[in-house]
Amino acid sequence: MNTPPTEHPQATPAALAAHIANALRNAIAERGQASLAVSGGKSPIALFEALRTQPLDWQKVTVILVDERVVPHDHAASNTALVRQHLLQDGAAAARFVPFFDEPPPALSAVVLDALAEQAKQRLADLPWPLDVAVLGMGEDAHTASLFPGAPGFARAIATDQRLAWVVPDTAPHARLSLTLSALLAARELLLSIAGESKLAVYHRAAEQAHETLPISLVLNQSQTPVSVWIA
């Protein structure tokens, strides 16, 4: 039986930041360390800027990305650059950050993406698994992480027991490396942050039933991992 997600309407970045910080504190108290996976894009910036000032033993926190575009780290679309600029500041500068890769080659192919994914898997292998907290976003096509419905690599990313896979979206720029569905569902806690009426409508539709055409529905309609939905 699926466990319905817990909803937090009219959520603010400060409230979500406080919730995340408390979960990380609890993880540190119980296990001596904590792990946090965050999504990129523009939507999480306010959350990052609220989270980085939370009183927390940041040097015991490992931060990774939920997904990354295969671009140089100084590229405007780089989630690594976004996290470094907006999250890994103030107290959070003491956190350990593990990017998926160093710099990608200029020419991409399936072979190159396989090699980058393997490099990322090796880096992630040393992390404290399972993740304590993973913060997800959602697109209006219901994708989450870089699990774009129907995209090359998508079927493998939702079926494999590996922690990471590549996806090449048809509807968005840049090839991606993404945590897989199994890696996300192995987390101790999943948080979905959404804003806007159009995304809220997508969320309600996806919450009704799991279907591969609405990837976020595979997260919402499961009983393995607690999910809370923070609706701005």
Side-chain angles (χ1 to χ4, degrees):
M1 182 176 179
N2 295 331
T3 304
T6 302
E7 295 184 359
H8 299 268
Q10 299 180 320
T12 63
L16 179 52
H19 178 92
I20 294 169
N22 191 57
L24 297 177
R25 283 188 210 100
N26 289 339
I28 292 169
E30 292 174 12
R31 292 176 290 278
Q33 60 186 345
S35 54
L36 169 67
V38 296
S39 298
K42 302 304 181 187
S43 299
I45 289 177
L47 168 62
F48 290 167
E49 295 182 346
L51 181 57
R52 73 192 197 191
T53 61
Q54 286 285 322
L56 182 63
D57 193 352
W58 281 103
Q59 65 181 353
K60 295 180 180 177
V61 177
T62 298
V63 177
I64 67 168
L65 292 164
V66 165
D67 62 327
E68 175 61 294
R69 300 171 178 92
V70 184
V71 296
H73 291 333
D74 60 358
H75 193 285
S78 168
N79 287 338
T80 293
L82 183 85
V83 166
R84 285 174 169 160
Q85 180 180 355
H86 295 285
L87 177 58
L88 302 176
Q89 303 289 334
D90 300 321
R96 174 194 179 203
F97 176 57
V98 183
F100 287 162
F101 50 80
D102 292 325
E103 292 293 334
L108 297 180
S109 64
V111 172
V112 171
L113 291 173
D114 281 340
L116 286 175
E118 186 59 35
Q119 179 187 91
K121 289 175 190 176
Q122 292 176 7
R123 290 186 174 195
L124 298 183
D126 293 334
L127 269 60
W129 292 91
L131 295 165
D132 290 304
V133 180
V135 185
L136 302 176
M138 184 194 73
E140 293 188 6
D141 61 354
H143 85 267
T144 192
S146 279
L147 306 180
F148 286 81
F154 169 73
R156 179 174 55 178
I158 65 170
T160 182
D161 59 1
Q162 297 293 312
R163 291 180 178 135
L164 193 132
W166 59 260
V167 178
V168 183
D170 300 314
T171 56
H174 310 300
R176 319 289 180 101
L177 295 186
S178 178
L179 293 183
T180 61
L181 181 63
S182 65
L184 293 173
L185 295 185
R188 291 186 171 91
E189 181 178 3
L190 292 169
L191 312 177
L192 172 62
S193 176
I194 57 175
E197 291 299 320
S198 57
K199 287 190 178 182
L200 185 60
V202 173
Y203 158 68
H204 285 308
R205 189 164 75 251
E208 294 176 356
Q209 184 178 1
H211 198 281
E212 292 181 7
T213 58
L214 300 171
I216 192 61
S217 73
L218 305 177
V219 173
L220 298 173
N221 294 280
Q222 50 81 34
S223 57
Q224 179 178 343
T225 307
V227 181
S228 60
V229 182
W230 299 72
I231 304 167

